[in-house]
């Protein structure tokens, strides 16, 4: 019976009761909910539960297998760490939204059919927007609106796709939706697009960089974990081995790097970096071999933790100084030494330094590409890895905590933030060293794949890549070539719907209003004219209404009679 | 947001990382380690190279350096096209 309820449901239902707690207890209750939900997940054995008969369709609400368990597990870790990070927050909205969102994502990744997936997919969209709106300012409100429209749009595509797919195949099961090499049906294509929007595919990506940096300090940490990785999970489930994903993924690893280099808002840099990391996972799904899928899942697992860590460290800086802009920061290692250390651990993990988590996961995807002899893909991923070193490995810690002293003398982050960052850091190191424990829970048996991350070649070549990238940074800084940080924004594809479309639509709208006014005016004038002439004709002096003289009437009567006579005669 | 009001007042407190001698030390050690990493190739061979390129001496070092510089220059070029004032969308 317990197993029939979706994992994460306790967080969703519990979230409704959060407002009834006193303010200082709400955050603790949210943390308790996350922990309780994690324990319940660990108690469910693999299998499918919660079959529900709806008309003549059977829905399968809970499917626990190696793939969904991995994602559900790391989602719980993210929820717990984020809840600790938010313990100081006294804002009911954020706690309720955070729990609904995390619970929804967990339930979604354990859904066995497309309808259940859709329901929780939309729940994550509707709940998460409140984490953006909770900033309670105009830019956040507007960005939240754009975010909501795009996210709900993704859900609508998913539902439409599911219905068409059901009409085609008679099945709503959420399994592999298209065999590698086969053409997608319209329904499956719609589902693919729905996943693509949430996964921030190129040109569908900009909701991420638009909204995440505008969310609250703690809200962004929640946001960074769930939406996009739910999409990665869904792609891995439904589209493993779909070749186009390789090229979509490679593009995703490359183009955000350039934007990250010149971005001033460090939380936005992290949003671009997040986009780039998703690219590695999408490539892995596209390759679709056992090693590649394991690499994708492992990378998502490690990534959720180090990305949350990086967002937490920048959140702590924002919380203390009120800004996350590189131009206004620098030298904070003197005021926030622990946050600095945690940030560097996160930066080292995302860059893939040996002994940290990124090293043992990203390399699986690169090796998978190499084993399939995809030279171009492999070399582009290497380039992207050097790019990660640029924006997340160096830029984030350097401009926030070192560079020039910006003069901030602030307190270290609050204890709960430090605890959350400490836990995430410990996990980054733990996964880097004790990688066997992660490899054990991956979808495919790692013993059969003969993959070993810590070989002399791998350690040396990876260090070469990263440290020579660091050397390039030193050279560029010393020669003054490195682009200085500027208080400016950079346009991205959101320009299309924030500027281009409104400028096109405005004149069109004005033309419609003008035409409408002219037509109405004409109509009114015609009616008015008719009215006036009727009034005139039927008035006492009018041709029709006036009293005629007897002689005039006699003349007219004589004329009419004359005409009748004439007609009769003819 | 619920942060405490930030304090901003410069003092002349310098840390270990701000002393020019130490910065030079960090840079020199980085150069040293980089040299060591390339020289390390004389002492092992890649048992399973997938591509010929991997057999090139210092291949990953070259990729790391060149890719980093390329990315930065592309970023600089991109900035010329897409940089706008901070209040661009508010206007």
């Amino acid at each position: 019976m317990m197993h029939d309820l979706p994992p994460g449901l306790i967080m969703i239902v519990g979230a409704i009761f959060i407002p009834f707690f006193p303010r200082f207890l709400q955050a603790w209750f949210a943390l308790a909910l996350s922990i309780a939900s994690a324990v319940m997940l660990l108690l469910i054995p693999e299998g499918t539960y919660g079959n529900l008969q709806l008309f003549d369709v059977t829905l399968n609400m809970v499917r626990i297998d190696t793939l969904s368990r991995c994602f559900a597990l790391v989602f719980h870790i993210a929820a717990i760490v984020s809840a600790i990070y938010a313990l100081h927050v006294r804002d009911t909205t954020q706690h309720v939204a955070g729990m609904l969102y995390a619970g929804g994502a967990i339930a979604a990744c354990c859904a066995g059919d497309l309808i259940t997936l859709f329901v929780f997919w939309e729940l994550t969209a509707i709940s998460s927007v409140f984490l953006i709106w909770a900033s309670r300012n105009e830019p956040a409100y507007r960005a939240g609106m754009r975010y909501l429209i795009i996210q709900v749009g993704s859900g609508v595509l998913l539902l439409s796709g599911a219905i068409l797919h059901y009409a085609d195949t008679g099945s709503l099961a959420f399994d592999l939706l298209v065999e590698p090499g086969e053409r997608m049906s319209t329904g499956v294509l719609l589902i693919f697009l729905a996943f693509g929007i949430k996964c921030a595919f190129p040109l569908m990506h900009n909701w991420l960089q638009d909204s995440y940096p505008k969310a609250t300090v703690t809200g962004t940490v929640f946001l960074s974990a769930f939406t996009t990785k739910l999409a990665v999970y869904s792609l891995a489930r439904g589209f493993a081995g779909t070749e186009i994903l390789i090229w979509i993924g490679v593009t995703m690893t490359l183009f955000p790097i350039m934007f990250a280099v010149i971005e001033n808002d460090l939380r936005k840099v992290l949003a671009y970096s997040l986009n780039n990391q998703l690219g590695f996972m999408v490539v892995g799904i596209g390759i679709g071999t056992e090693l590649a899928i394991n690499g994708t899942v492992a990378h998502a697992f490690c990534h959720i933790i180090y990305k949350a860590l990086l967002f937490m460290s920048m959140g702590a800086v924002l919380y203390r100084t009120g800004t996350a802009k590189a131009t206004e920061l620098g030298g904070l290692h003197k005021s926030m030494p622990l946050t600095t250390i945690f940030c560097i651990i996160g930066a080292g993990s995302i860059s893939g330094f040996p002994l940290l988590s990124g090293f043992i996961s990203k390399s699986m995807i690169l090796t998978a590409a190499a084993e399939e002899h995809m030279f171009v893909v492999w070399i582009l991923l290497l380039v992207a890895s050097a790019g990660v070193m640029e924006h997340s490995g160096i830029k984030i810690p350097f401009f926030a905590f070192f560079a020039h002293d910006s003069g901030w003398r602030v307190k270290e982050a609050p204890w709960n933030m430090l605890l959350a960052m400490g836990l995430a850091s410990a996990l980054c190191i733990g996964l880097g060293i004790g990688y066997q424990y992660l490899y054990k829970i991956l979808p495919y048996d790692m013993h059969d794949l003969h993959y070993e991350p810590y070989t002399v070649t791998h350690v040396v070549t990876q260090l070469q890549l990263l440290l020579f990238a660091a050397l390039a940074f030193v050279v560029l800084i010393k020669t003054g070539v490195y682009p200085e940080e500027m208080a400016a924004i950079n346009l991205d594809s959101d320009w299309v719907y924030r500027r281009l479309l409104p400028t096109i639509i405005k004149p069109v709208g004005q033309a419609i209003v003008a035409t409408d006014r002219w037509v109405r005016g004409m109509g009114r004038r015609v009616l008015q004219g008719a009215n006036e002439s009727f009034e005139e004709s039927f008035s006492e002096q009018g041709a029709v209404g006036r009293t005629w003289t007897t002689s005039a009437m006699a003349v007219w009567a004589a004329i009419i009679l004359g005409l009748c006579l004439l007609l009769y005669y003819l | 947001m619920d942060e405490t009001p930030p304090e901003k007042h410069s003092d002349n407190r310098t840390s270990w990382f701000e002393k020019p001698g130490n910065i030079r030390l960090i840079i020199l050690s980085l150069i040293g380690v980089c040299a060591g990493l390339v020289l390390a190739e004389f002492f092992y061979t890649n048992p399973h190279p997938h591509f010929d390129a991997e057999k090139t001496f210092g291949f990953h070092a070259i990729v790391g350096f060149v890719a980093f510089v390329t990315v930065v220059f592309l970023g600089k070029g991109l900035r010329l096209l897409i940089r706008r004032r901070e209040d661009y969308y508010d206007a």
Side-chain angles (χ1 to χ4, degrees), chain A residues 347-384:
Chain A
S349 301
I350 193 171
S351 305
F353 272 96
L355 302 182
L356 293 170
S357 58
F359 179 78
I360 58 107
S361 59
K362 186 161 68 182
S363 54
M364 291 164 76
I365 299 172
L366 271 97
T367 305
E371 284 187 352
E372 298 302 304
H373 307 291
M374 299 171 174
F375 179 71
V376 178
V377 174
W378 179 78
I379 196 107
L380 289 176
L381 292 185
L382 273 188
V383 171

Short mmCIF file of all heavy atoms in Angstrom, two decimals, chain A residues 347-384:
data_model
loop_
_atom_site.label_atom_id
_atom_site.label_comp_id
_atom_site.label_asym_id
_atom_site.label_seq_id
_atom_site.Cartn_x
_atom_site.Cartn_y
_atom_site.Cartn_z
N ALA A 347 34.09 24.42 -7.65
CA ALA A 347 34.72 24.78 -8.92
C ALA A 347 35.64 23.67 -9.39
O ALA A 347 35.68 23.34 -10.59
CB ALA A 347 35.50 26.09 -8.74
N GLY A 348 36.37 23.06 -8.46
CA GLY A 348 37.26 21.95 -8.81
C GLY A 348 36.47 20.74 -9.28
O GLY A 348 36.87 20.03 -10.21
N SER A 349 35.30 20.53 -8.65
CA SER A 349 34.48 19.37 -9.03
C SER A 349 33.93 19.53 -10.44
O SER A 349 33.98 18.60 -11.25
CB SER A 349 33.31 19.19 -8.06
OG SER A 349 33.79 19.02 -6.76
N ILE A 350 33.39 20.70 -10.72
CA ILE A 350 32.77 20.90 -12.03
C ILE A 350 33.83 20.86 -13.12
O ILE A 350 33.59 20.40 -14.24
CB ILE A 350 31.96 22.22 -12.08
CG1 ILE A 350 31.06 22.27 -13.32
CG2 ILE A 350 32.84 23.45 -12.04
CD1 ILE A 350 30.09 23.43 -13.34
N SER A 351 35.05 21.33 -12.81
CA SER A 351 36.12 21.31 -13.80
C SER A 351 36.64 19.89 -14.03
O SER A 351 37.21 19.63 -15.09
CB SER A 351 37.28 22.19 -13.33
OG SER A 351 36.83 23.47 -13.04
N GLY A 352 36.44 19.02 -13.06
CA GLY A 352 36.88 17.64 -13.22
C GLY A 352 38.29 17.39 -12.73
O GLY A 352 39.04 16.61 -13.33
N PHE A 353 38.68 18.03 -11.62
CA PHE A 353 39.99 17.73 -11.02
C PHE A 353 39.94 16.35 -10.37
O PHE A 353 38.94 15.99 -9.75
CB PHE A 353 40.36 18.79 -9.98
CG PHE A 353 41.07 19.97 -10.57
CD1 PHE A 353 40.37 21.11 -10.91
CD2 PHE A 353 42.44 19.91 -10.81
CE1 PHE A 353 41.03 22.19 -11.48
CE2 PHE A 353 43.11 20.99 -11.37
CZ PHE A 353 42.41 22.14 -11.71
N PRO A 354 41.00 15.57 -10.51
CA PRO A 354 41.06 14.26 -9.86
C PRO A 354 40.79 14.38 -8.36
O PRO A 354 41.11 15.40 -7.76
CB PRO A 354 42.50 13.79 -10.11
CG PRO A 354 42.93 14.53 -11.34
CD PRO A 354 42.21 15.83 -11.31
N LEU A 355 40.18 13.38 -7.81
CA LEU A 355 39.76 13.29 -6.41
C LEU A 355 38.48 14.06 -6.13
O LEU A 355 37.97 14.05 -5.03
CB LEU A 355 40.85 13.76 -5.43
CG LEU A 355 42.19 13.02 -5.51
CD1 LEU A 355 43.16 13.55 -4.46
CD2 LEU A 355 41.99 11.51 -5.33
N LEU A 356 37.94 14.72 -7.14
CA LEU A 356 36.64 15.40 -6.97
C LEU A 356 35.63 14.79 -7.95
O LEU A 356 36.01 14.13 -8.93
CB LEU A 356 36.79 16.90 -7.19
CG LEU A 356 37.64 17.61 -6.12
CD1 LEU A 356 37.95 19.03 -6.53
CD2 LEU A 356 36.95 17.58 -4.77
N SER A 357 34.34 15.07 -7.68
CA SER A 357 33.29 14.26 -8.31
C SER A 357 33.22 14.36 -9.84
O SER A 357 32.98 13.36 -10.51
CB SER A 357 31.94 14.61 -7.70
OG SER A 357 31.67 15.98 -7.87
N GLY A 358 33.44 15.55 -10.40
CA GLY A 358 33.31 15.69 -11.86
C GLY A 358 34.25 14.78 -12.62
O GLY A 358 33.94 14.31 -13.72
N PHE A 359 35.41 14.52 -12.04
CA PHE A 359 36.43 13.71 -12.70
C PHE A 359 35.95 12.30 -13.01
O PHE A 359 36.24 11.75 -14.07
CB PHE A 359 37.68 13.66 -11.80
CG PHE A 359 38.82 12.83 -12.34
CD1 PHE A 359 39.64 13.33 -13.35
CD2 PHE A 359 39.07 11.56 -11.86
CE1 PHE A 359 40.69 12.58 -13.85
CE2 PHE A 359 40.12 10.79 -12.37
CZ PHE A 359 40.92 11.31 -13.36
N ILE A 360 35.21 11.72 -12.07
CA ILE A 360 34.84 10.31 -12.23
C ILE A 360 33.57 10.14 -13.05
O ILE A 360 33.20 9.02 -13.39
CB ILE A 360 34.69 9.61 -10.85
CG1 ILE A 360 33.65 10.33 -9.98
CG2 ILE A 360 36.02 9.58 -10.13
CD1 ILE A 360 32.39 9.60 -9.85
N SER A 361 32.87 11.26 -13.36
CA SER A 361 31.62 11.10 -14.12
C SER A 361 31.73 11.62 -15.55
O SER A 361 31.37 10.92 -16.50
CB SER A 361 30.48 11.81 -13.39
OG SER A 361 30.77 13.18 -13.21
N LYS A 362 32.28 12.83 -15.72
CA LYS A 362 32.34 13.40 -17.07
C LYS A 362 33.21 12.54 -17.99
O LYS A 362 32.90 12.35 -19.17
CB LYS A 362 32.89 14.83 -17.01
CG LYS A 362 32.84 15.53 -18.34
CD LYS A 362 32.93 17.04 -18.21
CE LYS A 362 34.29 17.47 -17.71
NZ LYS A 362 34.36 18.94 -17.54
N SER A 363 34.29 12.00 -17.40
CA SER A 363 35.23 11.22 -18.21
C SER A 363 34.56 9.98 -18.81
O SER A 363 34.98 9.50 -19.87
CB SER A 363 36.41 10.80 -17.36
OG SER A 363 35.96 10.14 -16.20
N MET A 364 33.51 9.47 -18.16
CA MET A 364 32.82 8.30 -18.72
C MET A 364 32.17 8.65 -20.05
O MET A 364 32.16 7.84 -20.99
CB MET A 364 31.74 7.79 -17.75
CG MET A 364 32.31 7.17 -16.49
SD MET A 364 31.06 7.03 -15.20
CE MET A 364 30.15 5.63 -15.80
N ILE A 365 31.63 9.87 -20.13
CA ILE A 365 30.97 10.29 -21.37
C ILE A 365 32.00 10.49 -22.47
O ILE A 365 31.81 10.05 -23.61
CB ILE A 365 30.15 11.58 -21.13
CG1 ILE A 365 29.06 11.32 -20.08
CG2 ILE A 365 29.53 12.08 -22.43
CD1 ILE A 365 28.33 12.56 -19.62
N LEU A 366 33.15 11.09 -22.13
CA LEU A 366 34.20 11.28 -23.13
C LEU A 366 34.75 9.94 -23.61
O LEU A 366 34.99 9.75 -24.81
CB LEU A 366 35.33 12.15 -22.55
CG LEU A 366 35.10 13.65 -22.79
CD1 LEU A 366 34.48 14.31 -21.59
CD2 LEU A 366 36.40 14.34 -23.16
N THR A 367 34.94 9.03 -22.67
CA THR A 367 35.44 7.71 -23.04
C THR A 367 34.43 6.99 -23.94
O THR A 367 34.81 6.32 -24.91
CB THR A 367 35.74 6.86 -21.79
OG1 THR A 367 36.64 7.61 -20.96
CG2 THR A 367 36.37 5.54 -22.15
N ALA A 368 33.16 7.14 -23.61
CA ALA A 368 32.12 6.50 -24.43
C ALA A 368 32.16 7.04 -25.86
O ALA A 368 32.03 6.27 -26.82
CB ALA A 368 30.74 6.74 -23.81
N ALA A 369 32.38 8.36 -26.00
CA ALA A 369 32.49 8.94 -27.34
C ALA A 369 33.73 8.39 -28.05
O ALA A 369 33.67 8.04 -29.24
CB ALA A 369 32.57 10.46 -27.25
N ALA A 370 34.84 8.29 -27.31
CA ALA A 370 36.08 7.78 -27.91
C ALA A 370 35.92 6.32 -28.33
O ALA A 370 36.38 5.92 -29.41
CB ALA A 370 37.23 7.92 -26.92
N GLU A 371 35.23 5.53 -27.50
CA GLU A 371 35.06 4.11 -27.84
C GLU A 371 34.19 3.91 -29.07
O GLU A 371 34.30 2.90 -29.75
CB GLU A 371 34.47 3.36 -26.63
CG GLU A 371 35.52 3.11 -25.58
CD GLU A 371 35.05 2.22 -24.44
OE1 GLU A 371 33.84 1.91 -24.38
OE2 GLU A 371 35.90 1.85 -23.61
N GLU A 372 33.33 4.88 -29.35
CA GLU A 372 32.53 4.81 -30.58
C GLU A 372 33.25 5.49 -31.74
O GLU A 372 32.65 5.73 -32.79
CB GLU A 372 31.16 5.46 -30.36
CG GLU A 372 30.30 4.78 -29.30
CD GLU A 372 30.04 3.31 -29.60
OE1 GLU A 372 29.51 3.03 -30.69
OE2 GLU A 372 30.38 2.45 -28.76
N HIS A 373 34.52 5.86 -31.53
CA HIS A 373 35.37 6.51 -32.54
C HIS A 373 34.78 7.81 -33.08
O HIS A 373 34.88 8.10 -34.25
CB HIS A 373 35.64 5.53 -33.71
CG HIS A 373 36.18 4.24 -33.22
ND1 HIS A 373 37.45 4.12 -32.67
CD2 HIS A 373 35.63 3.01 -33.12
CE1 HIS A 373 37.64 2.87 -32.29
NE2 HIS A 373 36.56 2.18 -32.54
N MET A 374 34.13 8.55 -32.19
CA MET A 374 33.58 9.85 -32.61
C MET A 374 34.61 10.92 -32.29
O MET A 374 34.56 11.60 -31.26
CB MET A 374 32.29 10.13 -31.83
CG MET A 374 31.21 9.10 -32.06
SD MET A 374 29.86 9.38 -30.92
CE MET A 374 28.69 8.17 -31.50
N PHE A 375 35.56 11.10 -33.22
CA PHE A 375 36.69 11.99 -32.94
C PHE A 375 36.24 13.44 -32.75
O PHE A 375 36.65 14.12 -31.81
CB PHE A 375 37.72 11.91 -34.07
CG PHE A 375 38.90 12.82 -33.84
CD1 PHE A 375 39.83 12.52 -32.85
CD2 PHE A 375 39.07 13.96 -34.60
CE1 PHE A 375 40.92 13.36 -32.62
CE2 PHE A 375 40.14 14.81 -34.37
CZ PHE A 375 41.06 14.50 -33.39
N VAL A 376 35.37 13.92 -33.66
CA VAL A 376 34.96 15.33 -33.60
C VAL A 376 34.23 15.61 -32.28
O VAL A 376 34.49 16.61 -31.60
CB VAL A 376 34.07 15.67 -34.81
CG1 VAL A 376 33.60 17.11 -34.74
CG2 VAL A 376 34.84 15.44 -36.10
N VAL A 377 33.31 14.69 -31.94
CA VAL A 377 32.57 14.86 -30.69
C VAL A 377 33.55 14.90 -29.52
O VAL A 377 33.48 15.78 -28.65
CB VAL A 377 31.57 13.70 -30.50
CG1 VAL A 377 30.89 13.78 -29.14
CG2 VAL A 377 30.53 13.72 -31.62
N TRP A 378 34.48 13.96 -29.53
CA TRP A 378 35.43 13.83 -28.43
C TRP A 378 36.27 15.10 -28.27
O TRP A 378 36.40 15.64 -27.16
CB TRP A 378 36.32 12.60 -28.69
CG TRP A 378 37.36 12.36 -27.66
CD1 TRP A 378 37.19 11.80 -26.43
CD2 TRP A 378 38.77 12.64 -27.78
NE1 TRP A 378 38.39 11.72 -25.78
CE2 TRP A 378 39.38 12.23 -26.59
CE3 TRP A 378 39.56 13.18 -28.80
CZ2 TRP A 378 40.75 12.35 -26.35
CZ3 TRP A 378 40.93 13.30 -28.58
CH2 TRP A 378 41.51 12.89 -27.37
N ILE A 379 36.78 15.61 -29.37
CA ILE A 379 37.66 16.78 -29.28
C ILE A 379 36.86 18.02 -28.88
O ILE A 379 37.32 18.85 -28.10
CB ILE A 379 38.45 17.01 -30.60
CG1 ILE A 379 39.64 17.97 -30.38
CG2 ILE A 379 37.61 17.60 -31.69
CD1 ILE A 379 40.94 17.27 -30.40
N LEU A 380 35.61 18.10 -29.37
CA LEU A 380 34.79 19.25 -28.98
C LEU A 380 34.45 19.20 -27.49
O LEU A 380 34.39 20.24 -26.82
CB LEU A 380 33.52 19.32 -29.83
CG LEU A 380 33.75 19.73 -31.30
CD1 LEU A 380 32.46 19.65 -32.09
CD2 LEU A 380 34.35 21.13 -31.39
N LEU A 381 34.25 18.00 -26.97
CA LEU A 381 33.98 17.89 -25.54
C LEU A 381 35.22 18.26 -24.72
O LEU A 381 35.12 18.82 -23.62
CB LEU A 381 33.51 16.48 -25.17
CG LEU A 381 32.13 16.08 -25.69
CD1 LEU A 381 31.73 14.71 -25.15
CD2 LEU A 381 31.06 17.11 -25.31
N LEU A 382 36.41 17.95 -25.26
CA LEU A 382 37.64 18.37 -24.59
C LEU A 382 37.73 19.89 -24.54
O LEU A 382 38.07 20.48 -23.51
CB LEU A 382 38.86 17.82 -25.33
CG LEU A 382 39.38 16.43 -24.99
CD1 LEU A 382 40.70 16.18 -25.70
CD2 LEU A 382 39.56 16.24 -23.49
N VAL A 383 37.42 20.52 -25.68
CA VAL A 383 37.43 21.98 -25.74
C VAL A 383 36.44 22.55 -24.73
O VAL A 383 36.74 23.48 -23.97
CB VAL A 383 37.09 22.47 -27.17
CG1 VAL A 383 36.87 23.97 -27.19
CG2 VAL A 383 38.18 22.08 -28.15
N ALA A 384 35.24 21.93 -24.70
CA ALA A 384 34.22 22.39 -23.75
C ALA A 384 34.71 22.22 -22.32
O ALA A 384 34.42 23.06 -21.46
CB ALA A 384 32.92 21.61 -23.96
#
